[in-house]
Structure formats: structure tokens, C-alpha cells
Amino acid sequence: MFRLLVWLRRLAHALWLRVALFAALAFLAVIAAHLAAPLVPDWLEERINAEAVLPVLEILASSMLAVSTFSLGIMVQTHRAALQNATPRVLDLMLEDGLTHNVLGIFIGAFVYALTALILFQAGFDSGAALVLGVTLAVTGAVVLALLRWIAHLTTLGTLRDALARAEDQARSALKRHRHKPALGASPIGPETVLPDDARTIAAPRSGVLQVINVQGLARCAPGPVWVLRRPGQQILRGAPFLQVPAGQGDAASDEAMLDCFVIGDTRTFEQDPAFALTVLSEIASRALSPAVNDPGTAIEVVSRLERLLWDWAQASKSDAVEGATVFVHPWTPPELIEAAFAAIARDGAPMLEVAGHLLEALTALGQAPEGSLAEAARAMQARARAHAEAALRLEADADRLPPEA
């Protein structure tokens, strides 16, 4: 059931689903209009007949087919532009764009509606033309509104700023969830955690990337404490140690039930992996710093976004809510978040004084964060970034212009 819910949640973001729903609603609307034909007054039926409605339906069908094809082409082009300008990981965020789904759904739904109505009229079901005209006017109004929203949306869709905004929003949501549940609602595994010497190991059922852990479900089906050896975002290998439980605890059935509480896929996802969201932003900066792009301004903007994301995360109230006290999971630590955010930028931006200087200033600010472990990690990364810059800058005068150590 847990895997089904995860699949349905992801399905809700699929482009084809919303398009199919709009098309199905359009088909049902035209069928309902024909079935309700006996309710239409005779005088209205005489005034508005099939001959009056057919030209409107033909125009709507032909125009919506062209608009839908054009819009799909635009969507593909913007996705390719985002892949080239930002990072391939941003594509997953763009494919979940609700406005694009709604607009394309309305366009294709209007085409299906008009085509279905034309087929029924040509087949002799020409009653209820007045109702069909009313539905057609409503569909036309929805198309006009969708066109206006689509035109406004196209001004930013696929641009680098759009990709940065999507990645930042995703990172903010992931960090907020991590702040509220550092160990996904389980008991965190730390340096003080001691596993039993005789613990029984449960192997991973398949190879892939661990994407989601159902902590509550794992606590319900586990007969006792269970230690999860991998966390979302990490690679697991079939047959490798995955879970540990006390010796003599559980059986084959309970082991299978526990393994059903995990979702393993081919790639990392943002659902329970805050470091991945920060890595995506860092990748955008690294691409901008490549010799082929040479765009230090974008890297500086990414550093600013990462700085405020981590600062706000440190300022937010921390929650130690535990939903599954008998489940133990490795949490993402502040040093790992700092590493995911700034390590690649410190390396790739070292030869550019403006990037290295801005990065050192950002890390200096994060070194004053109220979260002690985050501040300490930022200061350690600052020393590392300074070493990168001093080694990469060709002129001693440029190295002397780096911000002083805090």
C-alpha cells in the first residue's frame, strides 16, 4: 500500500495524466449534452440547430490541434534549453510544472471535445445542438484564459532564472522537511548509537538508489528495533547489508514486510533527500563556471541562494519529533549539507576572484549561524575554499584581495 501511495503521488505530477483527464471530461461533456437534448425547449432547438454549431466546432477542432502541437513543441524546446543551460536534474522539476499541465490539458481537451461533437453530429446525433453550443462557448472561454496564462508563462519558462527558482523552491521545501524531521521521524543514528554485537542483517532486495523510507510503516511491522543502514539518496546493492535487527527477532514474513516499507529506484529524488536539492543548485553553478559557458554571474547568484537557504534553515525552529522510536536512521548532518552546497563551487570557482571572494563572504556569514554544527562546517569549508583559491589564482595581488579570514 505504501509503494502504491508513493506511485500515485508521483503520478499526480505526470503530464499525460492531467491531459487525459481533461480529454475525458470533454468527451463526457459532449455525450451529456446529447443525452440532455429532450430538456431543450422546441423554440430554442429550432433557433439553434446543428448547422449553426458545426462551423464553430470545425474551427475549434482545427485550431486546437495546431495550438496543441505548437505548445508541445515549445515545451520540448524549453526543456532542452534548461538541460543545456542548467543541469539535467532540473528537468524533473520542469516536468512537474502544474501550469504547463493544465494549459496543455485544456488545449488537447478542447480538441477532443470538438472532434467528438463533430463525429456525433455527422453520425446523426444532431439533437441538443443548443446545449452543445453552450458547452462550446464554455470550452472556448477556458481556451482563451489558458492562452493568456500560457503566453505569460512562456516569458520565463525554460530560462536559467526559471530553473534556479524551481531548484531553490525545491531545496527550501526539502530543508524544511529535514528541519522538522531530521531523521525522517525515526530515532537518529549518531556516534553514541551502539548496535548489538549479535544483530541479524537483512540484505537489500535489489540494486538502486534508496528514494523513500516509510518510517511509521516500518515501526508498525517490525517486531522490535530496526537499524536502517542506508538513507535516501544513497546507492544500495542487491545482497548487501541493508537493515539490522536483534538476533532471533522476526522471520521471513516480517523481513518481507519491512522491505516493503522502502522505495528503491534508479535515480535520486527530492522527496526525502535535502542534500540532492542543494547539489542540483551547485551543479548549475559548476556548469556556469565551465570554460564553455564562462558565466561567473550565475555562480555568484547560486552562492547567494544557497547562503540564504542554509541561513533560513539554521534560523528555523528545530523539531525532534519521533514517529517511530524503534526505527533508527542516519540523518543528513550540517557538514554534509555544506559539502553538497559548496564543495564543487569552491573547486570550480577558485580561479575566478569574484566567485571565490563571494563564496568566502557567504561562508563567513554562515559561520555566524545560530546552528553550531552548521557554523562549524561553514568555517571548515571556508578554509578549504580559501586554500583552493590561493592555489588557483595566478596573481598574488588577486590572492591578497580575497576577503580576510573571519
Side-chain angles (χ1 to χ4, degrees):
M1 178 60 70
F2 166 69
R3 293 181 179 178
L4 177 62
L5 292 176
V6 172
W7 180 77
L8 291 175
R9 186 169 64 245
R10 294 177 178 178
L11 183 63
H13 297 292
L15 173 62
W16 66 266
L17 178 64
R18 214 167 298 190
V19 172
L21 288 176
F22 275 105
L25 287 175
F27 180 79
L28 293 176
V30 69
I31 295 297
H34 281 278
L35 293 177
L39 302 178
V40 180
D42 294 339
W43 63 269
L44 186 60
E45 185 71 25
E46 294 176 359
R47 186 177 183 86
I48 303 176
N49 52 28
E51 285 73 17
V53 181
L54 280 173
V56 179
L57 292 174
E58 291 173 354
I59 294 174
L60 187 62
S62 59
S63 60
M64 284 302 98
L65 179 59
V67 170
S68 299
T69 304
F70 172 76
S71 299
L72 285 171
I74 290 294
M75 185 190 71
V76 171
Q77 291 177 9
T78 56
H79 289 177
R80 289 178 177 175
L83 291 177
Q84 295 175 357
N85 298 329
T87 170
R89 261 60 65 186
V90 173
L91 181 60
D92 294 334
L93 300 177
M94 299 190 68
L95 290 175
E96 296 178 1
D97 183 23
L99 179 57
T100 300
H101 293 188
N102 289 335
V103 167
L104 290 175
I106 290 174
F107 290 163
I108 297 178
F111 168 72
V112 172
Y113 163 78
L115 184 62
T116 305
L118 284 171
I119 293 173
L120 290 176
F121 275 130
Q122 295 297 335
F125 297 95
D126 54 355
S127 58
L131 290 177
V132 173
L133 180 60
V135 175
T136 303
L137 293 176
V139 170
T140 304
V143 168
V144 172
L145 291 176
L147 277 172
L148 294 176
R149 297 180 66 190
W150 185 232
I151 291 171
H153 192 51
L154 286 179
T155 58
T156 58
L157 183 64
T159 62
L160 185 58
R161 186 168 297 277
D162 178 48
L164 286 171
R166 292 177 190 273
E168 183 181 4
D169 290 343
Q170 189 64 56
R172 182 176 292 106
S173 299
L175 289 172
K176 182 178 179 181
R177 292 192 297 267
H178 175 266
R179 192 66 169 174
H180 183 62
K181 297 179 180 179
L184 306 177
S187 299
I189 296 179
E192 69 284 354
T193 304
V194 178
L195 276 68
D197 294 333
D198 58 346
R200 183 171 65 90
T201 300
I202 301 175
R206 55 162 292 193
S207 298
V209 177
L210 180 58
Q211 295 177 340
V212 182
I213 302 176
N214 181 11
V215 172
Q216 291 179 321
L218 193 58
R220 287 194 300 266
C221 66
V226 54
W227 292 269
V228 183
L229 303 181
R230 310 296 284 175
R231 64 186 171 195
Q234 291 185 319
Q235 180 86 359
I236 60 175
L237 300 175
R238 182 175 181 270
F242 185 42
L243 307 176
Q244 284 191 324
V245 297
Q249 172 183 299
D251 51 22
S254 63
D255 290 356
E256 186 68 24
M258 285 189 286
L259 291 175
D260 285 339
C261 295
F262 299 88
V263 176
I264 301 172
D266 298 326
T267 59
R268 296 175 72 176
T269 62
F270 300 98
E271 293 161 288
Q272 294 182 350
D273 188 358
F276 181 50
L278 297 174
T279 299
V280 170
L281 277 168
S282 180
E283 286 181 351
I284 296 176
S286 292
R287 182 182 288 264
L289 292 170
S290 65
V293 179
N294 192 22
D295 181 15
T298 294
I300 291 173
E301 183 176 353
V302 169
V303 171
S304 298
R305 291 175 184 262
L306 289 169
E307 177 186 3
R308 61 175 176 252
L309 282 170
L310 291 171
W311 180 267
D312 291 345
W313 175 83
Q315 293 281 350
S317 57
K318 187 177 181 180
S319 173
D320 295 321
V322 176
E323 300 172 352
T326 59
V327 180
F328 297 84
V329 176
H330 289 279
W332 287 101
T333 62
E336 290 170 326
L337 297 180
I338 290 289
E339 179 77 15
F342 298 114
I345 302 176
R347 179 197 65 220
D348 298 333
M352 299 183 182
L353 175 62
E354 60 272 35
V355 177
H358 189 76
L359 176 60
L360 290 174
E361 291 175 354
L363 291 171
T364 300
L366 290 175
Q368 308 301 319
E371 179 76 21
S373 56
L374 180 74
E376 183 179 353
R379 289 192 291 268
M381 180 59 69
Q382 182 188 35
R384 184 171 158 190
R386 182 178 297 277
H388 273 300
E390 290 175 348
L393 291 172
R394 297 182 179 180
L395 299 180
E396 185 177 349
D398 285 344
D400 293 338
R401 292 175 58 191
L402 291 173
E405 296 184 19

